[in-house]
Amino acid sequence: MKKNDIVEVTITDMGADGEGIGKVNGFTLFIKDGIIGDVLEVKIIKLKKHYGYARMMKILTPSKYRVEPLCPIARRCGGCQIQELKYEEQLAFKQNKVRNHLIRIGKFEEELITRVMDPIAGMEQPFYYRNKAQFPIGTDKEGNIITGFYAGRTHDIIPNKKCYLGVDVNETILDLVIGFMEQYKIQAYDEKVNKGLVRHVLIRYGFATKEIMVCIIINGKTLPHSEELVKALKELPGMTSITLNINEKNTNVIMGHQLEVLWGQGYISDKIGDITYQISPLSFYQVNPVQTKVMYDKVVEYADVKKEDVVWDLYCGIGTISLYLAQYVKEVHGVEIIPQAIEDAKKNSHINGIENAYFYVGKAEDVVPKKYKEEGIHADVIIVDPPRKGCDETLLDTILSIKPRRVVYVSCDSATLARDLQYLCERDYELKKVQVVDNFGNTVHVECVCLMTKSK
Ligand code: SAH
C-alpha cells in the first residue's frame, strides 16, 4: 500500500475520538467518519510503520448503525464527531470507551469493571440540549462577516448559524450581531494577524428560567455603537444580560478577564433540581442541564452522606454540587480556581438560603494541601470534578492523607480518570461504582461518576 492508493475496507472498531478503524491485509487504517459495520472505499492519505490514515471516498455498504445526520454540515464541523452513528450505538460506544480506558490505562481487572459499571444513562433527546454556545466571528474570502464552527482540528470557520445541539435563539442573536457589524462596519477579529475587533459571541440560555445572556468578546476596549446592538438584542424575550468581554491577547483562549455590563445584569440564573444558580460569563456551568441533574443525583447517591458529615467539593465551579449536597450534611467546602465562579458560588448559597457552604479561590492542589497542613482539615466525603487533565498528584496524595470515607470522582475525560483512579486504588481506595452519563449526545465526549471507598 502507498499514499493515494484506493482500497476497500470494513470498519470493525471505533477509536476514542470516533474515528473508524479497519484492517487491510492485517494493516490498520484510521478513517474519519467511518462507522462500525461500514464497507468503504478509501484513499490512503498518510502511512506510518504500523498504521495509516485514509479518507472515506465512497460508502460501498452502509453499516446498519449508520443514520442520516440531522445537520447538513455534520461531517465537516468539528463539533459533532458521531452524528452519523445511531444514538443507541453512540451510547454503547461511550460505555465501551470508558470501560477500555479503565482496563487499559487504569489497569483494573476486566471482571471488576464489568461488576462496578452500571448501564450508561443516555439522553431522551440527543439534540437541542446545549445551554451554551461560543461562536467565532471571522471574514470569508469575499470579505463578508461570517460565524459558524471550526472544522475539526483547525481554526477554519465553516459558516453556520444553526447548530442542532443548541437552542433556536442562537441563530436570531447571531443575525442581529452580524447585521449590526455590517451596518456599522465593525471588523471581525483575524487571529492570524491579531487585528480586527469582534472575536466571539458567547450565548447562554437558562433552560429552567428562559433567561438569555449574550457576551461579545472583543479585541479592544470598546465596541462602537454598542447602544444600537443593545437596542436590538434587548427586545428578545428572555434577554437578561448583555456584556462585553475584553480579550486583547493573541491567544486561542476565548475569554479575557475583563467584563463590562452593557445592559441588564452581569449574569443569568438557572435551576437544577431545587437549587437556583446564578451564572456569569466567565464561570463554568454544565452545558446540558437535563443530564447534569442525572449526574448530580448520582453524586448524591454515591456520596451517601450523613447529617453530621463534612464534605469537600473540589473544582466546584459556581458551587453547583456543593449546594446540591449542602442540605444533607453539616458543612460543605468548595474550592475553585476562577474568582468570578467563587463569587457566583457565594451568591448562590445566599440566594438559596444555604448557610453551611464555604468557598475558597485557588488551585485545588494548592488550597487543600495547605489547609490540611496548617489547619488539619477533615473530610468524610471528598468530591472531585476536575477539567480534562485530571487531578494533580499533590492533591491525590493529600486526599490519601485526609482519608475520607468516600471519594466521588466526576470526570469528563475517562483517560485521565483511569489514571487517577489507579493512583488512589493502588494505595488506599477501592473502586465500587462507575456510572457513565451522556451529557454530550452526537459527540465523543462523556461524563463519568465513580465511587471509591476507603479500604478496610
Ligand atoms: N463541579 C462543577 C465544575 C466542574 S468543571 C460543576 O459541575 O459545574 C471544572 C472546574 O474546575 C471549572 O470550574 C474550572 O474553572 C475549575 N478548575 C480548573 N483547574 C482547577 C484547579 N487546578 N483547581 C481548582 N479548580 C480548577
Side-chain angles (χ1 to χ4, degrees), residues 284-286 295-296 313 315-317 320-321 335-338 362-365 385-387:
F284 175 90
Y285 182 58
Q286 297 284 348
M295 195 165 91
Y296 288 176
D313 173 20
Y315 311 86
C316 69
T320 33
I321 297 177
V335 182
E336 157 67 42
I337 198 168
I338 307 272
K363 291 184 179 172
E365 62 272 28
D385 183 5

Side-chain angles (χ1 to χ4, degrees), residues 391-405:
C391 297
D392 204 279
E393 265 183 28
T394 331
L395 176 65
L396 296 177
D397 287 333
T398 309
I399 293 176
L400 289 165
S401 309
I402 295 177
K403 301 185 173 46
R405 185 172 75 237

Side-chain angles (χ1 to χ4, degrees), residues 388-427:
R388 285 193 195 154
K389 70 170 195 237
C391 297
D392 204 279
E393 265 183 28
T394 331
L395 176 65
L396 296 177
D397 287 333
T398 309
I399 293 176
L400 289 165
S401 309
I402 295 177
K403 301 185 173 46
R405 185 172 75 237
R406 292 178 169 226
V407 176
V408 180
Y409 196 129
V410 184
S411 162
C412 55
D413 186 318
S414 49
T416 56
L417 168 75
R419 177 200 69 199
D420 292 349
L421 293 189
Q422 182 192 27
Y423 193 85
L424 292 172
C425 292
E426 270 180 350
R427 290 164 176 86

